Amino acid sequence: MSSTRQLFELAGADDRVRFSPYCWRIRLALAHKGLPVETPPWRFTDKEAIAASGQGKVPVLVDGERWISDSWTIAEYLEQQYPETPSLFGSAEGQALARFINQWTNDVLHPAIAGVILPEIFQILHEKDQDYFRHTRETAFGATLETLAEQQETALISLYQILKPLHHTLALQPYLAGEAPNFADHIVFGAFQWARLVSDSIKLPAEEPIGLWIERMLDAYDGLARKAPKAYED
Amino acid sequence: MSSTRQLFELAGADDRVRFSPYCWRIRLALAHKGLPVETPPWRFTDKEAIAASGQGKVPVLVDGERWISDSWTIAEYLEQQYPETPSLFGSAEGQALARFINQWTNDVLHPAIAGVILPEIFQILHEKDQDYFRHTRETAFGATLETLAEQQETALISLYQILKPLHHTLALQPYLAGEAPNFADHIVFGAFQWARLVSDSIKLPAEEPIGLWIERMLDAYDGLARKAPKAYED
């Protein structure tokens, strides 16, 4: 029996537009490990398609008989299940410290980016997802998408401010994990890939440390992230 | 010849009060490596005493003939010079990821704590340091120490907000570096040690993740940090 590996990925109205930052972490992690995968498109409201995972969000990885959800849990699963492939963490302390980067990304970086791009995400969603998205995001942010759109300039200033530690770190080394990328880089880069696939509002100078690192991450794994179709023409 | 190792440490009016967060990183790093050290007290205005280091700030480590400044540089020096002692980073990616924690601490955590405790630090300084401290800090913060004191409640709210990723990480593992502390823990704990030695304004619930981790760090290395005299009675 040929075991098919599948990663359910959030898609926009256009099947080819895959913009979830959490899904990108796993796409990059699978590429890092050289593990092929099929990536069926999924929408926020397709709860039944991933019911076997016991919850309602992507990424969901189906590996043979196993259904695994939550990007960090999937990364740990891949690390344990495929010990002969390149490591996502490198070492026990590498994994522990990546936890902090994971939390910083989820708690600080994602909300800061979302504050800028949520109204633009809404525009590129499949029609059936729009009500769900508007309701969940407006509740989380305590503001309508229209208000967020009006406040985009302020949101951009906050974002550039919170990027300071990332800027300073990448001024000293090519990747967060050092000389080569690992899951810590996948986590943080996923956020910028999310932003660039749905919006061109966030401008990071290409010759500065974060911009240079983004270019390196776009080139990594045979240009996997660079090849991903954007939701808009640029 | 007996090679004496010395760490110049910032002191308050009271010689025994050693409150610099950057100096604490190195005290803990030396303890981690089991390297004995003498710790002469130093004040902000004692520039001549450390002139041989080529700059004017502490920590300065004098190891035999070598003078080394900057806490990160000192940690790298110790790691290279004493490879047979317990590692401060564990691995190349452990060191690279600790860089991000170092930058987050310097760029985000320190300013947030300083916003709360600067006026209290001023009170416990040696008289000869007070003008220097007031001038440099008021310039950096764009506010007088008296204004900062009035805004302490707001500063506390900002601080608790920026602690989110630390809180969430330490809810999942006992130390930033995993099952045991390393230099990443020394870096972040140094900030809380700084705060607790000069002020009791920052209240972190002892039964929550950060409070529990602080207790573990106070106990580590034979209670080195817990034994340090505070600037005030509590």
Side-chain angles (χ1 to χ4, degrees), chain B residues 61 71 87-89 115 150 155 162 169 179 183 202 208 217 231:
Chain B
L61 182 73
S71 62
S87 173
L88 293 173
F89 299 110
E150 283 166 20
I162 69 100
T169 302
E179 294 303 314
F183 195 60
I202 297 171
E208 292 198 4
M217 290 301 293

Side-chain angles (χ1 to χ4, degrees), chain A residues 89-101 103-104 107-108 161-162 164-166 168-169 172-173 175-179 182 184, chain B residues 89-101 103-104 107-108 161-162 164-166 168-169 172-173 175-179 182 184:
Chain A
F89 299 110
S91 57
E93 68 281 352
Q95 182 161 348
L97 295 174
R99 269 282 194 197
F100 181 82
I101 290 193
Q103 293 304 145
W104 177 79
D107 295 338
V108 181
Q161 177 67 22
I162 69 101
K164 258 170 105 170
L166 187 63
H168 287 143
T169 302
L172 295 162
Q173 55 199 36
Y175 297 97
L176 285 168
E179 295 303 314
N182 79 7
Chain B
F89 299 110
S91 58
E93 67 281 352
Q95 181 161 348
L97 295 174
R99 268 283 194 196
F100 180 81
I101 291 191
Q103 293 304 146
W104 177 79
D107 294 339
V108 181
Q161 176 67 21
I162 69 100
K164 258 170 106 172
L166 187 63
H168 286 144
T169 302
L172 295 162
Q173 56 198 37
Y175 297 96
L176 285 168
E179 294 303 314
N182 79 7

